[in-house]
Amino acid sequence: GNSVTQMEGPVTLSEEAFLTINCTYTATGYPSLFWYVQYPGEGLQLLLKATKADDKGSNKGFEATYRKETTSFHLEKGSVQVSDSAVYFCALIPSAAGNKLTFGGGTRVLVKP
Amino acid sequence: DTEVTQTPKHLVMGMTNKKSLKCEQHMGHRAMYWYKQKAKKPPELMFVYSYEKLSINESVPSRFSPECPNSSLLNLHLHALQPEDSALYLCASSQGRQGNRANYGYTFGSGTRLTVV
């Protein structure tokens, strides 16, 4: 079946530090990959996406590259702010018919001033 | 309009009450979803409507009853809930066609935080 594995949190870091959240996936074919962010008390927002191998998604200083050879889609940001404190979900939609959005377990990030 | 709007934002209900959650989108999306999210967990899929027809029910108890009156609206009717049903209920929408769904992902609402007392 399809699955997404993320590093467990919480990840605590200082403002302006470098952030990496690891994400690996298992899926048949060529899934589309997504990062969603959930700020405290809110719903999910699409942060970035990539639909084919070697695509790089980017938004708000965050980046992730679709690596088919390692089945990974790690999220990175070079300099985090306190406002980046949130839960980040890696997710995929398989290319096969009947595709559904499959989430990883989520990684909580806490940025301290 | 690129939003999914959910009402109410908060709801407290007794175990004998009947209430409804509402979701609306005007992006022309033809697939709509209900998710349930417990604290510190990812969202869990409950129902999928595709072109206004129920296409997936993830073995959800009958005390949850979805309804899709038209392509822009999605309701979730609640009756005789249990305290363990307390959670954040998220609505989402996406392109109807499989390929477009994979290309663009889902758009989520801000959710209804439900407390059953």
Side-chain angles (χ1 to χ4, degrees):
Chain A
N2 303 308
S3 66
V4 178
T5 302
Q6 291 179 235
M7 59 189 291
E8 290 211 16
V11 174
T12 303
L13 57 168
S14 299
E15 210 164 20
E16 299 184 2
F18 186 88
L19 170 68
T20 299
I21 304 175
N22 290 339
C23 170
T24 57
Y25 68 88
T26 302
T28 53
Y30 298 89
S32 293
L33 302 174
F34 305 86
W35 277 101
Y36 282 87
V37 59
Q38 186 172 33
Y39 298 103
E42 297 187 11
L44 274 69
Q45 298 177 23
L46 178 62
L47 182 59
L48 53 82
K49 65 180 175 72
T51 58
K52 60 182 186 296
D54 299 325
D55 267 3
K56 177 186 282 189
S58 61
N59 186 25
K60 298 182 181 179
F62 290 90
E63 293 184 341
T65 301
Y66 189 142
R67 301 288 188 199
K68 181 71 175 173
E69 63 277 12
T70 54
T71 62
S72 65
F73 193 53
H74 305 321
L75 183 68
E76 296 180 338
K77 185 173 185 182
S79 177
V80 293
Q81 305 299 312
V82 172
S83 57
D84 293 323
S85 298
V87 179
Y88 293 83
F89 291 98
C90 186
L92 66 81
I93 296 179
S95 54
N99 50 17
K100 294 189 294 185
L101 185 64
T102 298
F103 287 100
T107 302
R108 185 174 300 275
V109 173
L110 177 61
V111 180
K112 296 186 174 181
Chain B
D1 189 349
T2 58
E3 288 187 343
V4 173
T5 303
Q6 290 188 242
T7 56
K9 292 195 179 302
H10 301 275
L11 178 62
V12 179
M13 61 183 292
M15 289 188 284
T16 57
N17 290 162
K18 287 185 181 181
K19 296 287 184 183
S20 297
L21 308 185
K22 296 185 182 303
C23 174
E24 188 168 8
Q25 58 87 16
H26 295 288
M27 294 177 282
H29 288 173
R30 300 308 298 273
M32 296 185 77
Y33 312 82
W34 280 116
Y35 282 84
K36 174 182 177 179
Q37 187 180 25
K38 300 286 275 185
K40 299 185 178 181
K41 297 289 186 182
E44 297 176 1
L45 184 64
M46 301 174 70
F47 302 104
V48 179
Y49 273 83
S50 180
Y51 294 87
E52 293 115 70
K53 294 190 187 310
L54 183 64
S55 60
I56 295 176
N57 175 341
E58 293 283 350
S59 302
V60 179
S62 60
R63 58 185 183 268
F64 295 92
S65 175
E67 177 196 22
C68 188
N70 60 55
S71 61
S72 299
L73 295 174
L74 185 66
N75 298 322
L76 185 63
H77 303 298
L78 314 173
H79 174 55
L81 295 193
Q82 303 298 311
E84 58 266 27
D85 296 321
S86 298
L88 181 67
Y89 288 84
L90 294 163
C91 175
S93 69
S94 74
Q95 300 277 351
R97 295 189 179 279
Q98 304 273 17
N100 287 341
R101 195 179 304 175
N103 283 337
Y104 297 105
Y106 295 12
T107 301
F108 284 83
S110 296
T112 294
R113 188 161 300 281
L114 174 68
T115 303
V116 181
V117 297

